[in-house]
Amino acid sequence: MLNIQNMFYIVGSGPGDPELLTLKACKVLAKADVVLFDNLVNADLLDISPPHCIKRYVGKKPFGKYIPQDNINALIAYYCTHYGTVVRLKGGDPYIYGRGFEEWAVAKRLGIQVTYVPGITSMQGVGTWDIPLTHRGTSEGVWVLTGMKRDGNIASDLSLAAQSNSTVVIYMGMRKLSEIARTYVMHGKGDTPAAVVQDATKPESRKVTCAVRDLARCCREAGMRNPAIIVIGDVVNLNEALTSFSVKRNVV
């Protein structure tokens, strides 16, 4: 039943490493009555919740079965009106391609108080592979795009992003590697450095780097799979360039 103590928390669990969970998120999980969690949430985080907590999986695996968003919304409505503290635990950050605000609206329409707890978004995990998203004199900004809109198409801004001097980050783009490559080649930027980072921040993390024109072939040969982030721009090879520069200066 709805009462003054009902709370709904939309919480980001970070990019995979459980030690990257924020302190606030940890405190929220520790008092949860219900946790609705996604496929990309590290299972170790569920142990933070108290023994009485109901833990329900509502995730989606790539190319596999999933719980439709309408069903998740119905579960949110049910638990928020029957339990005191409900946590929606999502991988990365809930408001960056996580449908977090859609679920915010579900609770708000019921008069439930909602608190958003940010998480370290998945694209920041590429820094563990020595890839900064910006660097003075190298990248003027960051484009963050989806590889899979509701209609199945890649973000329409990709063509504009490919012509910019900024880093381009693509979420959910593993099905669109050939299309991404064609877009860059069409604008004469097929040699732009690109990286695909799989399972960033986890022990099993892997990375492939190549010219963007070769994305599909290199990922296929390396057996890259979801979850993965695509990064395109000169920042991809910046670590090698700076290391080379440093070595030359030391020799001189």
Side-chain angles (χ1 to χ4, degrees):
M1 298 294 294
L2 183 61
N3 60 67
I4 195 169
Q5 296 179 330
N6 288 68
M7 288 287 298
F8 182 50
Y9 291 88
I10 302 174
V11 179
S13 68
D17 183 345
E19 293 185 354
L20 294 175
L21 185 74
T22 66
L23 180 58
K24 185 167 186 176
C26 185
K27 290 179 177 179
V28 169
L29 283 172
K31 64 180 181 181
D33 296 312
V34 179
V35 176
L36 305 174
F37 64 97
D38 279 349
N39 179 55
L40 296 180
V41 169
N42 191 305
D44 291 344
L45 299 180
L46 300 177
D47 295 335
I48 300 173
S49 59
H52 73 270
C53 179
I54 298 170
K55 304 162 191 170
R56 182 153 184 176
Y57 174 77
V58 291
K60 175 181 180 181
K61 295 183 178 180
F63 310 108
K65 294 182 179 180
Y66 66 96
I67 299 177
Q69 187 63 44
D70 287 345
N71 292 15
I72 295 173
N73 293 346
L75 289 171
I76 291 170
Y78 172 78
Y79 284 116
C80 280
T81 52
H82 288 79
Y83 293 85
T85 301
V86 179
V87 176
R88 181 67 171 99
L89 189 61
K90 293 173 171 284
D93 182 275
Y95 286 178
I96 300 181
Y97 300 121
R99 292 189 171 182
F101 211 69
E102 295 177 34
E103 296 171 357
W104 174 94
V106 172
K108 277 293 187 180
R109 283 194 290 266
L110 294 170
I112 304 293
Q113 185 174 345
V114 183
T115 298
Y116 160 61
V117 182
I120 296 175
T121 183
S122 303
M123 68 180 179
Q124 292 175 281
V126 303
T128 61
W129 282 98
D130 299 326
I131 301 175
L133 295 179
T134 64
H135 185 76
R136 187 169 56 176
T138 301
S139 172
E140 297 179 356
V142 183
W143 289 72
V144 183
L145 306 176
T146 177
M148 189 68 65
K149 296 193 299 182
R150 179 174 294 183
D151 61 6
N153 293 320
I154 198 167
S156 54
D157 280 349
L158 179 61
S159 182
L160 294 173
Q163 300 174 69
S164 74
N165 293 317
S166 297
T167 305
V168 178
V169 178
I170 302 175
Y171 284 70
M172 300 172 289
M174 293 301 284
R175 296 187 187 184
K176 303 289 186 177
L177 295 176
S178 295
E179 185 175 343
I180 293 167
R182 282 197 301 271
T183 300
Y184 274 80
V185 170
M186 180 178 67
H187 292 290
K189 291 195 170 185
D191 292 328
T192 304
V196 176
V197 178
Q198 174 185 313
D199 290 317
T201 76
K202 294 183 179 180
E204 63 270 26
S205 181
R206 297 195 299 145
K207 179 187 74 168
V208 164
T209 57
C210 60
V212 68
R213 68 169 73 248
D214 299 321
L215 263 180
R217 176 181 59 81
C218 290
C219 286
R220 182 174 60 252
E221 292 176 354
M224 299 295 283
R225 57 169 177 77
N226 285 304
I229 287 284
I230 302 166
V231 182
I232 306 170
D234 289 335
V235 293
V236 169
N237 290 337
L238 188 61
N239 59 342
E240 297 178 5
L242 292 180
T243 301
S244 174
F245 176 73
S246 177
V247 169
K248 289 179 180 179
R249 287 196 61 180
N250 288 338
V251 170
V252 172

